[in-house]
Amino acid sequence: MPLLEELVTNPTLWLTIVILYTLKKGIYFVPQNRGYVVYTLGKYSKTLSAGLNFIIPYVQSIAADRNLKEQSLEITSQPAITKDNITLEIDGILFMKVTDAAAATNNITDYKVSVTQLAMTTMRNAIGSMELDECFQNRDGINAQILSAMTEATEPWGVMVTRYEIKDITPPQSIREDMEKQMTAEREKRSVILTAEGVKTAAITEAEGQKRARVLDAEAAKAEQVLAAEATKESQILEATGKAEAIRLVAEADASALDVIGKSASTSEGKSAVTLTLAQDAITAHQAIANESTVVLTDGKTGENVANTVAQAIAVSSSLKLPN
């Protein structure tokens, strides 16, 4: 073959190929978040970080390529026995990252398998220290307990567990049925309590309403009494004022009448009228006395009394003088 013959007959070409291969073995471009573990003659010497790196060909070699990103590991469903001897099926998910590529290579055979097995064991231990109800109610506590135990255990491996989460806890069928019955009873209990609380609240509200209504009725009655008293007072004041005004008007009318009578009586015609009126009044009085009794006592001078009365009336009218 021409190429093989060329290599045999041309040592320079052969040397060039060896040099290029050697350079290729000595130059490495490490990606971001990767760690290349380097062995020198079978012994760990260094870890190559991201970027351009050089090693000694044929003396040094890349023993492992470790991913330094955070990774997630699925923890398959497995049985775990609680403190009260109930078997549960539990699965979860684990988040971890390699912090030391050399330790993850030299101190452990397969860090992923080891971390997964450790997570399963730690989870069973955590569940075994709790009762069934506590397992359902305290998931955060279980997660924290598993995370704390694994952080301490995986530190020599160059691995850091960042988070652990339980995905599902599955109890046996009989336990699920009992739990459903318990939940039903609890819901019925809450319903009864809520109904009782509602009745109690309604009764309190009704009592408060009745109390408020009584207070308002009392206040309204009091206000009505006050208004009635004020109205009575105003009515009495108005009535008294009216009576006073009526008395004043009657007095003024009587005074005016007397003044008019006095002025009229000072004339000759007025005197005659007064005399006639007095005589008529006297006769009327004697008639009234006679009408009220079947027996009339007299001194025998009735005619003289009438005449005297008329004479007195004339004398009174004669004494009235006209004003100057």
Side-chain angles (χ1 to χ4, degrees):
M1 298 176 63
L3 180 59
L4 184 59
E5 292 177 358
E6 182 71 20
L7 291 174
V8 173
T9 58
N10 191 349
T12 303
L13 181 59
W14 176 259
L15 182 61
T16 302
I17 293 174
V18 171
I19 292 173
L20 291 176
Y21 179 75
T22 301
L23 290 175
K24 181 180 180 302
K25 293 286 290 183
I27 299 175
Y28 281 91
F29 294 95
V30 180
Q32 185 68 33
N33 292 320
R34 307 290 291 193
Y36 287 4
V37 179
V38 178
Y39 280 8
T40 301
L41 299 178
K43 182 180 179 181
Y44 170 75
S45 57
K46 63 181 179 179
T47 300
L48 303 182
S49 58
L52 177 62
N53 294 272
F54 299 94
I55 64 173
I56 302 174
Y58 309 113
V59 177
Q60 294 180 328
S61 62
I62 303 299
D65 174 12
R66 298 304 181 195
N67 184 358
L68 304 181
K69 296 179 182 179
E70 187 171 2
Q71 307 172 57
S72 62
L73 299 178
E74 189 81 15
I75 308 301
T76 58
S77 179
Q78 59 176 320
I81 301 176
T82 64
K83 189 176 181 180
D84 47 356
N85 295 323
I86 304 298
T87 302
L88 303 176
E89 292 290 331
I90 303 178
D91 57 0
I93 185 169
L94 176 72
F95 296 89
M96 48 79 66
K97 66 183 299 185
V98 175
T99 57
D100 188 344
T105 302
N106 300 325
N107 298 344
I108 193 73
T109 301
D110 188 335
Y111 69 90
K112 289 186 178 181
V113 174
S114 299
V115 168
T116 301
Q117 294 296 326
L118 178 62
M120 296 170 67
T121 302
T122 306
M123 184 169 61
R124 283 195 294 267
N125 292 337
I127 294 298
S129 63
M130 299 181 181
E131 295 184 353
L132 178 63
D133 293 339
E134 190 177 0
C135 292
F136 287 105
Q137 297 173 2
N138 194 23
R139 287 196 179 195
D140 291 339
I142 298 174
N143 294 334
Q145 184 177 347
I146 295 173
L147 179 62
S148 176
M150 294 196 64
T151 300
E152 183 179 355
T154 57
E155 184 177 0
W157 302 344
V159 176
M160 181 178 67
V161 178
T162 58
R163 188 175 180 182
Y164 185 88
E165 292 290 341
I166 293 178
K167 292 200 302 183
D168 193 18
I169 299 178
T170 306
Q173 181 64 30
S174 59
I175 299 299
R176 288 202 298 270
E177 292 176 356
D178 292 340
M179 291 175 64
E180 290 177 358
K181 293 178 181 178
Q182 183 179 0
M183 290 175 63
T184 302
E186 185 67 24
R187 284 194 295 268
E188 292 177 352
K189 176 183 176 182
R190 290 180 182 178
S191 176
V192 171
I193 292 174
L194 290 175
T195 302
E197 289 290 339
V199 172
K200 177 182 176 182
T201 303
I204 293 174
T205 303
E206 183 178 359
E208 289 291 338
Q210 292 177 355
K211 177 182 176 182
R212 184 60 181 168
R214 292 192 187 97
V215 171
L216 292 176
D217 290 342
E219 291 178 353
K222 182 178 178 181
E224 185 177 356
Q225 291 176 357
V226 171
L227 292 176
E230 291 180 355
T232 303
K233 179 181 176 181
E234 292 292 335
S235 176
Q236 291 175 352
I237 292 172
L238 292 175
E239 183 178 357
T241 304
K243 289 181 178 180
E245 183 67 18
I247 292 171
R248 185 183 65 81
L249 293 175
V250 170
E252 289 181 354
D254 290 341
S256 177
L258 290 174
D259 184 56
V260 172
I261 292 170
K263 290 179 180 180
S264 299
S266 62
T267 64
S268 59
E269 292 83 357
K271 291 179 180 180
S272 298
V274 169
T275 300
L276 178 59
T277 301
L278 292 175
Q280 289 176 347
D281 290 341
I283 294 169
T284 301
H286 282 83
Q287 288 178 351
I289 293 172
N291 290 332
E292 290 178 0
S293 177
T294 57
V295 178
V296 178
L297 298 178
T298 180
D299 57 357
K301 299 179 180 180
T302 303
E304 294 180 0
N305 290 337
V306 175
N308 291 334
T309 302
V310 174
Q312 291 175 359
I314 293 172
V316 171
S317 63
S318 299
S319 62
L320 297 176
K321 297 181 180 181
L322 291 172
N324 294 329

